């Protein structure tokens, strides 16, 4: 007997297995008080090339990294919806209270972290120049500035976190990635100049500036179009469908890349979709209700995103002792930069004591944006390959412990309220009995 599994069946089986393993592990995670995000990432490792995938059974695990990356469009879409949701945190009414503080903290802690990691890595370069080239040291400083908005948002949602720390956290995470993109573009240009022996002003200054400005402009235009077309519908289901449509088309357009007069133009899908959500939530009077419906619709998509992210984690980096050693230095120096950068700046702008003490801990998760930067750095050859390995190692560590630390910080700050065991099934039963 011969069993034939075509590509469509393989695709559906892989998604089903990913969702099932992720959901079942989330039940186990709940018993040991771990965030569901951590369970999804571990599920990804289990269904990835190093565990189930190594059995080479189509559909029951990802058999190779190429197999995992074939689902990358799902990750792109998920990141688009995550950014769209974070854009909802930039309501003008809220920004009047925290906007100035979030801006100062977001910029300062990102730049401070970059400087701390640069100092640590440049020092390490002089100790082991053959193992850590100077271009690698400079790029790693910029990558250190990025925070993972997805993991932070999922922890906030899972535990329904609400309070001063949560109010300022999500805008800072969004701003953090915008600053990180600029810092990376500048560092990447400097690294290329060190390798080529000449400085390219276009790649160091002009292109990163244009990427941020054009991304925000594109997001603004799409947000205005979205708000205009939304008013033609009154049904909640059709409004939801229109929301999904605009996020999808915005993600697609943000993938455009072109060149004008020697200047490479590209967009950041995160910034574009954040601006889309920001415009919509400030212009549309029923945006809050619709955002809530979109969040419910995207729940399975977010689970898949984190499972796929876990499957992409390259466990082979643990076999290189030097990478592990340098990676530990990176994790220590980045954690120091994030914590004390947030601590110092939040104290300077006179934030609540709980924000001063716990904000830096919530900024530790790192994933998608950092990996995207590392992929771009691979074009530098051997120096870029080291950047990729170090980033993969740190993402593996940060993604597994970051969500748990974020939860603990929000809990100690009082933004997460301890609750008894409550399930949707119990709530539905009580509602039925009351009728």
């Amino acid at each position: 007997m011969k069993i034939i599994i075509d590509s469509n069946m393989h695709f559906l089986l892989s998604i089903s297995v990913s969702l099932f393993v992720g959901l079942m592990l989330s039940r186990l995670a709940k018993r040991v008080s771990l965030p569901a995000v951590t369970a999804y990432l571990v599920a990804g490792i289990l269904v990835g090339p190093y565990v189930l995938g190594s059995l080479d059974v189509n559909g029951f695990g990802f058999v190779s990294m190429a197999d995992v990356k074939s689902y990358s469009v799902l990750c792109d879409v998920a990141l688009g919806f995550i950014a769209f949701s974070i854009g909802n945190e930039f309501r003008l009414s809220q920004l009047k209270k925290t906007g100035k503080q979030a801006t100062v903290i977001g910029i300062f802690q990102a730049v401070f972290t970059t400087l701390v990691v640069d100092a640590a890595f440049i020092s390490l370069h002089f100790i082991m120049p053959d193992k850590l080239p100077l271009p690698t040291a400079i790029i790693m400083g910029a990558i250190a500035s990025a925070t993972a908005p997805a993991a932070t948002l999922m922890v906030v949602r899972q535990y329904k976190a609400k309070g001063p720390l949560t109010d300022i956290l999500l805008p800072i995470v969004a701003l953090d990635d915008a600053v990180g993109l600029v810092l990376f573009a500048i560092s990447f240009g400097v690294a290329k100049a060190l390798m080529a022996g000449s400085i390219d002003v276009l790649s160091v200054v002009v292109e990163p500036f244009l990427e941020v400005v054009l991304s925000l402009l594109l997001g603004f235009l799409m947000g205005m179009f979205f708000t205009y077309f939304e008013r033609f519908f009154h049904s909640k289901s059709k409004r939801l469908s229109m929301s999904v449509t605009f996020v999808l088309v915005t993600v697609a357009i943000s993938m455009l890349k072109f060149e004008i007069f020697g200047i490479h133009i590209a967009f950041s899908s995160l910034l574009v979709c954040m601006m889309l959500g920001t415009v919509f939530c400030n212009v549309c009077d029923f945006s809050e209700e619709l955002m809530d419906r979109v969040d419910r619709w995207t729940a399975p998509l977010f689970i898949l995103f984190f499972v796929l992210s876990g499957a992409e984690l390259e466990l082979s980096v643990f076999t290189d002792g030097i990478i592990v050693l340098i990676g530990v230095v990176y994790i220590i120096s980045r954690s120091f930069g994030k914590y004390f950068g947030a601590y110092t700046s939040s104290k300077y702008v006179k934030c609540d004591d709980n924000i001063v003490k716990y904000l830096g801990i919530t900024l530790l998760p790192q994933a998608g944006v950092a990996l995207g930067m590392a992929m771009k750095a691979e074009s530098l050859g051997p120096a870029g390959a080291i950047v990729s390995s170090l980033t993969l190692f740190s993402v593996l560590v940060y993604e597994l412990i970051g969500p748990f630390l974020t939860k603990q910080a929000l809990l100690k700050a009082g933004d997460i309220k301890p609750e008894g065991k409550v399930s949707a099934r119990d709530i539905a039963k009580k509602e039925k009995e009351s009728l």
Side-chain angles (χ1 to χ4, degrees):
M1 182 176 70
K2 185 178 181 181
I3 299 176
I4 299 175
I5 298 179
D6 65 16
S7 58
N8 290 333
M9 183 178 179
H10 172 77
F11 181 85
L12 292 174
L13 273 176
S14 296
I15 287 179
S16 303
V17 169
S18 297
L19 281 170
F20 180 77
V21 175
L23 287 167
M24 295 310 293
L25 278 184
S26 70
R27 293 299 303 166
L28 181 62
K30 188 173 183 180
R31 288 181 177 273
V32 293
S33 300
L34 284 174
V37 176
T38 303
Y40 302 147
L41 290 163
V42 173
I45 293 173
L46 292 179
V47 301
Y50 292 97
V51 186
L52 278 178
S54 65
L55 300 176
D56 201 20
V57 179
N58 279 332
F60 293 93
F62 302 100
V63 297
S64 65
M65 284 298 172
D67 189 18
V68 179
K69 291 187 184 301
S70 67
Y71 295 80
S72 61
V73 67
L74 293 175
C75 294
D76 292 335
V77 171
L79 278 173
F81 278 103
I82 287 165
F84 179 66
S85 296
I86 290 178
N88 189 41
E89 302 302 319
F90 286 90
R91 292 180 182 272
L92 291 178
S93 57
Q94 182 66 29
L95 288 178
K96 287 177 182 178
K97 301 176 186 176
T98 62
K100 182 180 177 181
Q101 292 175 327
T103 302
V104 172
I105 298 169
I107 294 174
F108 182 85
Q109 58 82 26
V111 174
F112 183 75
T113 302
T114 296
L115 293 175
V116 169
V117 175
D118 273 342
F121 267 50
I122 291 172
S123 300
L124 205 59
H125 160 72
F126 287 111
I127 297 171
M128 47 175 71
D130 295 335
K131 299 293 183 180
L132 186 63
L134 188 56
T136 299
I138 292 172
I139 290 174
M140 288 307 299
I143 290 177
S145 66
T147 300
T152 304
L153 181 65
M154 287 292 282
V155 172
V156 168
R157 282 186 182 172
Q158 180 184 351
Y159 296 102
K160 298 179 176 60
K162 192 174 183 181
L165 179 55
T166 305
D167 289 343
I168 201 170
L169 170 61
L170 293 177
I172 287 174
V173 169
L175 182 61
D176 183 83
D177 285 328
V179 176
L181 287 170
V182 174
L183 291 172
F184 174 78
I186 294 171
S187 298
F188 185 67
V190 171
K192 285 199 299 183
L194 287 172
M195 297 181 72
S198 61
I199 296 177
D200 181 1
V201 178
L202 286 180
S203 61
V204 174
V205 179
V206 178
E207 290 178 2
F209 176 77
L210 284 176
E211 180 173 346
V212 172
V213 171
L214 292 178
S215 295
L216 294 176
L217 179 61
L218 175 60
F220 177 81
L221 290 174
M222 294 304 294
M224 295 306 293
F225 282 129
F226 178 25
T227 306
Y228 175 78
F229 286 107
E230 194 75 51
R231 67 181 184 173
F232 291 113
F233 301 94
H234 303 287
S235 156
K236 290 180 179 179
S237 60
K238 288 183 179 177
R239 282 174 170 172
L240 172 62
S241 299
M242 181 61 75
S243 303
V244 173
T245 299
F246 263 87
V247 174
L248 290 176
V249 73
T250 302
V251 171
I253 294 173
S254 65
M255 292 178 178
L256 281 172
K257 293 180 182 179
F258 47 94
E259 185 178 333
I260 301 176
F261 303 119
I263 301 174
H264 295 88
I265 306 296
F267 301 97
S268 164
S269 62
L270 275 176
L271 290 182
V272 175
C273 291
M274 279 178 195
M275 181 56 80
L276 172 73
T278 299
V279 172
F280 178 64
C281 78
N282 283 289
V283 176
C284 181
D285 54 0
F286 53 85
S287 61
E288 198 159 356
E289 176 196 347
L290 195 52
M291 283 285 194
D292 184 58
R293 293 177 68 84
V294 171
D295 290 344
R296 296 179 189 179
W297 181 86
T298 54
L301 181 63
F302 288 174
I303 294 173
L304 272 176
F305 169 76
F306 284 105
V307 173
L308 288 168
S309 297
E312 280 185 316
L313 295 176
E314 187 66 72
L315 302 185
S316 62
V317 294
F318 284 113
T319 60
D320 190 332
I322 294 297
I323 292 296
V324 172
L325 175 63
I326 299 174
V328 169
V329 173
Y330 172 81
I331 289 169
I332 293 172
S333 57
R334 178 180 181 269
S335 300
F336 176 88
K338 283 289 178 184
Y339 183 81
F340 284 99
Y343 181 93
T344 305
S345 54
S346 57
K347 199 163 189 175
Y348 174 76
V349 294
K350 296 179 173 60
C351 288
D352 181 85
D353 285 343
N354 282 330
I355 294 175
V356 174
K357 284 193 288 186
Y358 301 114
L359 176 61
I361 297 172
T362 64
L363 298 175
L364 292 181
Q366 190 173 44
V369 177
L371 290 173
M373 293 175 178
M375 286 176 62
K376 187 171 182 179
E378 287 178 354
S379 63
L380 294 177
I386 297 173
V387 168
S388 181
S389 296
L390 288 171
T391 306
L392 285 167
F393 173 78
S394 65
V395 164
L396 176 62
V397 175
Y398 275 125
E399 281 298 270
L400 292 177
I401 65 171
F404 174 75
L405 293 175
T406 298
K407 175 200 168 184
Q408 292 302 310
L410 291 170
L411 193 61
K412 288 185 178 296
D415 284 28
I416 294 177
K417 310 298 181 187
E419 296 178 355
K421 292 183 178 179
V422 179
S423 71
R425 193 176 286 109
D426 293 335
I427 294 172
K429 186 177 179 181
K430 287 180 181 178
E431 289 177 349
K432 189 176 180 181
E433 288 172 354
S434 65
L435 295 176

